[in-house]
Amino acid sequence: MSDNKTIYRNHQHYIAEGWLPTPKFSFLNALEIITQSGRKSPQRVLDVGCATGEFINFLKQHFNNSEFVGVDVSEELIAKCEENL
């Protein structure tokens, strides 16, 4: 591309499908790693490739005193994330 910007086009399913009714296995694994670290709650969490914010929402349910930041290459996904959260 001439502007050196990558366009991510395979993201519509995140918006169309919405959040799953049960947590993804990877979410549960991350929660286990965090809780086994000995910390009661992480201070800050950065979700790179946050899509619609499903992982952030999951972690907020367990660590409501933490600060969460999500980034994604798709402005449409970020907009949906802001709407969801």
Side-chain angles (χ1 to χ4, degrees):
M1 297 185 157
S2 60
D3 64 359
N4 293 326
K5 185 176 182 180
T6 302
I7 298 173
Y8 179 59
R9 294 186 177 105
N10 187 26
H11 67 278
Q12 288 300 321
H13 67 281
Y14 289 110
I15 295 170
E17 294 170 7
W19 291 352
L20 297 173
T22 58
K24 295 178 182 178
F25 185 70
S26 59
F27 293 6
L28 296 171
N29 279 341
L31 178 62
E32 184 176 346
I33 290 168
I34 294 168
T35 55
Q36 287 181 353
S37 72
R39 289 185 152 185
K40 293 188 186 236
S41 179
Q43 291 181 339
R44 287 181 225 103
V45 176
L46 171 62
D47 184 3
V48 178
C50 68
T52 61
E54 188 172 8
F55 183 54
I56 292 172
N57 181 64
F58 171 77
L59 288 180
K60 281 181 82 167
Q61 293 174 26
H62 298 277
F63 307 113
N64 59 359
N65 292 324
S66 298
E67 176 185 349
F68 296 90
V69 175
V71 296
D72 203 288
V73 297
S74 167
E75 291 180 23
E76 188 175 9
L77 288 174
I78 291 293
K80 189 65 176 176
C81 179
E82 289 173 342
E83 180 184 316
N84 287 341
L85 297 173

